[in-house]
Amino acid sequence: MKGFEELKNKRILVTGGAGFIGSHLVEELLKIGAKVRVVDNLSTGKFKNIESHINEIEFILGDLSEYEIAEQSVKDVEYILHQAAVPSVPRSVKDPLRTNRSIVTSTVNLFEAARKEKIKRIVQASSSSVYGNSPTLPKKEDMYLNPLSPYAVAKYTQETYGRVFSSIYGMSIVSLRYFNVFGSRQDPNSEYSAVIPKFVKLMMKDKKPTIYGDGETTRDFTYIKNVVGANLKSLVSRKKVSGEFLNVACGERISLNELVLEINKIMGKNIKPEYGPGRVGDVKHSLADIEKAKDLIDYEVLFNFKAGLKSFFDSETDLK
Ligand code: NAD
């Protein structure tokens, strides 16, 4: 990606850097010439996601819910891309304490340690789940929030800490509300996997994907390259972004039935999905207004949904 030369040689910490999104950030930062440190406890992430870069980065195997690990991680860094979390709504319904530790405790530890290091900017991953089930579409950042799951509450708390640490300590913390990110290296095999890698993997083997609900649930599926771009642009933006929350999405609404149709089209197949009961804590519709991100960080949709899906097929070696 072009336009990020000022990040060359900068010391940048990626928390959760062995995860899906974190590992893409690491890869792009290395291309730019940044000095990258990763902290990850490998709970949901995988070492193999960063293995090919292990000699180019500094890797701390540790859990940010321990303050000493947070302190060690932020030492001498200038910027932080904070991705660490145990993600997923159903996981949080099963184990809310783990979700809270990995998101809320870890974030407060990180911010407190970063405050003492005088970090230039922290960009952190929040989630569209903070909007909950409010019927108004598209979702705008200043809307009433109604988190429906322990995961969403934790993300809401995380971004609120970002605003509060920005205002009371003068730190620069930006929260990006990601909308259903997809791309290579996303685990397709767990019961908690995101829908796109899971469906693609099944349909490649001519198996029927299961849709929870009637399939008219919609999501603003966002290709990973858009998310990487948004993180880097947030790091370098000269506008007043501290304490802000920004939607990162495509601004397109795709139903699960349409998703199955598109995957079939790319693969030249005609697999019909199966339908199961709807899931607790899931929101029905999701669509982002992305004007604020365009304005404050010059955000661009580099890949719309269809282009992203096509690129995902081309790049995802794990599925082949
Ligand atoms: P992921 O599970 O692949 O990555 C998260 C990483 O954080 C993993 O490598 C995990 O091992 C690490 N981690 C978890 N708890 C930790 C702790 N206490 N200390 C250190 N490391 C820890 O998930 P992802 O999809 O890459 O998500 C990255 C971030 O984006 C998360 O904060 C998630 O909540 C957020 N997000 C993701 C999506 C999405 O669609 N993937 C949507 C909205 C928000």
Side-chain angles (χ1 to χ4, degrees):
M1 280 177 192
K2 296 217 162 54
F4 302 109
E5 291 73 21
E6 67 186 274
L7 297 175
K8 190 170 180 192
N9 289 325
K10 294 286 186 293
R11 294 179 300 277
I12 304 180
L13 170 69
V14 183
T15 77
F20 157 51
I21 297 171
S23 63
H24 281 272
L25 291 169
V26 168
E27 200 169 84
E28 202 55 42
L29 288 171
L30 288 173
K31 280 187 200 151
I32 292 167
K35 293 180 177 155
V36 180
R37 180 183 293 162
V38 166
V39 59
D40 202 299
N41 65 357
L42 300 181
S43 53
T44 56
K46 296 191 197 86
F47 183 70
K48 79 165 194 233
N49 287 341
I50 48 168
E51 196 168 16
S52 59
H53 297 298
I54 201 64
N55 295 324
E56 302 161 84
I57 63 173
E58 192 187 332
F59 178 55
I60 299 174
L61 174 61
D63 192 320
L64 285 167
S65 65
E66 295 166 29
Y67 186 69
E68 298 67 32
I69 296 292
E71 262 186 325
Q72 189 191 340
S73 303
V74 301
K75 185 115 192 58
D76 296 327
V77 301
E78 293 159 279
Y79 297 96
I80 301 175
L81 295 176
H82 177 33
Q83 311 299 312
V86 170
S88 118
V89 166
R91 253 194 190 112
S92 78
V93 172
K94 200 165 178 185
D95 191 350
L97 294 182
R98 182 178 183 222
T99 297
N100 191 71
R101 250 191 332 270
S102 79
I103 298 178
V104 180
T105 309
S106 296
T107 297
V108 184
N109 283 345
L110 184 77
F111 288 178
E112 179 59 2
R115 176 166 82 89
K116 295 177 179 160
E117 276 292 315
K118 307 227 175 338
I119 305 290
K120 286 189 184 131
R121 182 162 292 162
I122 301 174
V123 179
Q124 64 171 348
S126 185
S127 158
S128 59
S129 64
V130 297
Y131 291 109
N133 236 345
S134 76
T136 315
L137 292 177
K139 308 292 184 197
K140 285 192 177 190
E141 288 84 347
D142 58 2
M143 269 174 57
Y144 171 73
L145 302 179
N146 184 25
L148 296 177
S149 63
Y151 171 70
V153 172
K155 284 284 156 189
Y156 170 69
T157 309
Q158 171 178 357
E159 58 172 42
T160 308
Y161 265 118
R163 180 170 56 73
V164 168
F165 268 64
S166 293
S167 72
I168 62 177
Y169 300 122
M171 294 169 74
S172 182
I173 304 173
V174 190
S175 300
L176 302 182
R177 290 179 180 161
Y178 303 160
F179 281 65
N180 292 76
V181 190
F182 70 99
S184 61
R185 294 202 286 274
Q186 209 169 8
D187 181 6
N189 296 320
S190 126
E191 64 174 301
Y192 302 113
S193 292
V195 63
I196 293 187
K198 197 176 188 164
F199 280 16
V200 168
K201 175 122 201 202
L202 285 167
M203 291 169 70
M204 275 188 154
K205 294 183 176 162
D206 292 324
K207 290 189 181 149
K208 289 174 185 244
T210 302
I211 289 179
Y212 298 110
D214 62 4
E216 288 311 303
T217 296
T218 56
R219 292 288 179 266
D220 195 337
F221 291 111
T222 309
Y223 189 51
I224 183 68
K225 300 257 189 220
N226 299 324
V227 174
V228 171
N231 272 273
L232 300 184
K233 287 194 164 195
S234 300
L235 283 182
V236 301
S237 171
R238 300 270 184 271
K239 295 206 172 153
K240 200 214 147 292
V241 291
S242 304
E244 293 293 346
F245 317 119
L246 306 177
N247 290 340
V248 172
C250 277
E252 280 181 88
R253 197 153 74 108
I254 310 293
S255 75
L256 297 179
N257 289 326
E258 282 173 278
L259 171 64
V260 171
L261 215 70
E262 285 304 321
I263 298 174
N264 269 322
K265 252 194 226 167
I266 292 178
M267 293 193 309
K269 296 187 179 180
N270 187 19
I271 299 168
K272 301 273 179 261
E274 283 176 342
Y275 293 89
R279 291 190 310 192
V280 181
D282 266 353
V283 302
K284 181 80 182 160
H285 296 295
S286 182
L287 171 69
D289 181 306
I290 51 177
E291 292 308 311
K292 188 174 174 188
K294 284 183 179 169
D295 177 27
L296 288 188
I297 61 166
D298 202 20
Y299 171 66
E300 282 173 282
V301 177
L302 302 169
F303 287 75
N304 67 16
F305 166 70
K306 283 188 187 170
L309 194 64
K310 178 78 182 53
S311 173
F312 172 62
F313 267 86
D314 295 342
S315 64
E316 181 51 294
T317 46
D318 286 357
L319 296 170
K320 290 169 185 157

